[in-house]
Amino acid sequence: MSPEGIWDLTISTPIGRIAAVAEFRRVDGTLTGTARGAGEEVPLEGVALDGDRLTWRQSVTRPMRLNLAFDVRIDGDILGGTSRAGRLPSSKVTGERHVLPDSSR
């Protein structure tokens, strides 16, 4: 299952829901990505796909400075899993891939 594309993410944290957008792509056979949310754009690090399991790390500064580790499973155009910031409790992550219009018609 390829994660390539643009995903709308919702992260349910103890301080409320956070909306973000993640984009995954392949560059020379390697998965890379970026995430946007809370007025900042950050690169994704260590993006790895193992079957339907996708993991990555990212650092954010808003709403506070955190180093996040994501561990999600992809099922078609939806994903679900967790995000964890150090010793803080994990937060539920859900997402839906943008479906691009079929341009072959």
Side-chain angles (χ1 to χ4, degrees):
M1 180 66 44
S2 172
E4 293 170 80
I6 299 171
W7 295 81
D8 290 321
L9 304 178
T10 300
I11 306 162
S12 299
T13 74
I15 61 170
R17 289 184 171 194
I18 297 173
V21 175
E23 181 174 359
F24 297 95
R25 59 196 165 281
R26 284 197 191 272
V27 176
D28 297 325
T30 301
L31 273 173
T32 65
T34 56
R36 294 183 306 279
E40 69 181 330
E41 183 171 322
V42 298
L44 305 183
E45 301 171 3
V47 180
L49 181 64
D50 183 9
D52 66 349
R53 182 178 178 216
L54 178 65
T55 57
W56 75 90
R57 296 179 315 279
Q58 69 185 74
S59 297
V60 297
T61 60
R62 297 179 188 152
M64 62 185 69
R65 187 175 300 274
L66 295 169
N67 295 315
L68 304 172
F70 287 79
D71 189 340
V72 300
R73 298 222 179 249
I74 299 172
D75 184 7
D77 291 326
I78 61 170
L79 63 73
T82 60
S83 171
R84 188 171 192 99
R87 294 182 170 194
L88 295 175
S90 60
S91 297
K92 180 180 176 183
V93 176
T94 58
E96 187 172 339
R97 186 184 341 229
H98 287 224
V99 177
L100 299 177
D102 185 355
S103 60
S104 64
R105 295 181 194 177

